[in-house]
Amino acid sequence: MVEPLFQVSVRCHHCDAVFQTSRVRPSFKKASGTDTDFCVHYKDINPDYYVVRICPHCGFAGTENSKDRLTPAQKTAFREKVADHWTYKDYGGERTWEEALYAYKLALVTAQTVNDKGRITAGLLHHIAWLYRYRNDKAQENRFLQHALDEYTRAFETEAGEMNNARLMYLMGELSRRLKQYNQAVKWFSRVINDKRIMDAGMIRACREQWAVTREDMLADSVVLEPEAQELT
């Protein structure tokens, strides 16, 4: 019988040790739905639990997209912040929700310590929000959605040339909407719709749809569109 998890070897970017971490076989990735901020809900095993790889020897945690080359100063910073206080722990097998949450939060500390790109920390914060969503913990979900939105905004201002700006602006609009920051949501959706340089038809369509949803939310919550937001619509 084929198991849902399989092991891959990873080399730690901090201590250079090789360790094993688990991935979910593609045939076991069965989605039951996707939210408007790209959070995927799965029927059985959740592949998101295994995105973060944790070195059992030093505690360095990251994803496939994390910084893969550390300067001596970054290695020193991580050693002082995490590795010097770490005792051997192996997270390479099956993970519970609690272990997945720990893995993402450790990856967040790692990214912040080695000064990884804003889009990496934003993605980790967003995934932590999703984990709380799976548990219907609205307060913690919104807390981390706000952190993710702040970090996405910083990334947009500093790393825009390296990213899909239409998708990023859509995400900032959608997180703003979910956090009831409706006027901000309208600004981001409208920027994608009205920017003639953006050719991403899927994101333009998604922004139009979520702009309509935002309008309904504003009516339900008796929120008036600010004058500067009206100019964008």
Side-chain angles (χ1 to χ4, degrees):
M1 182 176 174
V2 178
E3 295 293 323
L5 299 179
F6 67 99
Q7 296 266 295
V8 295
S9 294
V10 178
R11 184 176 294 277
C12 177
H13 302 317
H14 174 255
C15 72
D16 218 34
V18 175
F19 61 94
Q20 299 289 304
T21 192
S22 290
R23 301 288 298 273
V24 176
R25 295 184 193 280
S27 59
F28 284 85
K29 296 179 181 179
K30 297 176 182 176
S32 60
T34 303
D35 295 337
T36 48
D37 65 342
F38 309 127
C39 174
V40 181
H41 296 262
Y42 293 92
K43 293 178 181 177
D44 301 309
I45 192 165
N46 190 332
D48 273 4
Y49 283 18
Y50 302 92
V51 168
V52 175
R53 301 96 66 92
I54 302 176
C55 175
H57 304 283
C58 71
F60 190 90
T63 71
E64 289 182 352
N65 298 319
S66 297
K67 185 186 289 287
D68 58 357
R69 295 181 186 275
L70 302 182
T71 65
Q74 289 165 340
K75 287 188 176 185
T76 298
F78 178 79
R79 190 187 72 244
E80 292 174 349
K81 179 78 173 180
V82 177
D84 284 350
H85 313 284
W86 180 264
T87 53
Y88 185 93
K89 300 186 197 74
D90 190 350
Y91 289 91
E94 187 175 350
R95 290 178 183 170
T96 62
W97 178 89
E98 289 79 9
E99 288 168 336
L101 181 65
Y102 175 81
Y104 276 104
K105 288 187 173 181
L106 183 59
L108 179 63
V109 170
T110 299
Q112 291 169 334
T113 302
V114 303
N115 196 30
D116 210 337
K117 291 183 180 296
R119 65 176 182 269
I120 300 298
T121 52
L124 293 169
L125 288 160
H126 201 174
H127 274 81
I128 292 170
W130 292 347
L131 284 172
Y132 284 116
R133 187 179 302 170
Y134 296 143
R135 285 290 175 96
N136 297 311
D137 188 337
K138 194 67 177 175
Q140 286 286 59
E141 177 193 339
N142 283 350
R143 177 181 165 223
F144 280 93
L145 284 180
Q146 183 63 61
H147 289 319
L149 176 57
D150 293 342
E151 201 63 28
Y152 278 131
T153 303
R154 276 193 287 273
F156 179 75
E157 293 167 352
T158 59
E159 303 169 26
E162 306 171 44
M163 310 171 77
N164 179 335
N165 289 341
R167 180 185 171 94
L168 179 57
M169 285 191 280
Y170 166 82
L171 256 185
M172 290 189 288
E174 179 57 17
L175 296 197
S176 297
R177 185 194 70 79
R178 286 173 173 268
L179 292 165
K180 298 184 181 294
Q181 299 166 14
Y182 299 130
N183 281 282
Q184 203 59 36
V186 167
K187 290 176 188 176
W188 288 119
F189 291 144
S190 297
R191 282 184 68 171
V192 176
I193 295 166
N194 296 325
D195 189 337
K196 303 303 182 192
R197 295 168 299 176
I198 293 176
M199 309 300 288
D200 189 331
M203 282 296 98
I204 293 170
R205 184 172 60 252
C207 284
R208 289 190 187 281
E209 291 170 356
Q210 292 313 103
W211 178 190
V213 173
T214 305
R215 191 157 35 204
E216 293 170 8
D217 292 342
M218 294 176 83
L219 284 170
D221 291 350
S222 301
V223 176
V224 178
L225 198 61
E226 293 173 354
E228 60 265 33
Q230 290 178 7
E231 293 172 8
L232 292 165
T233 60

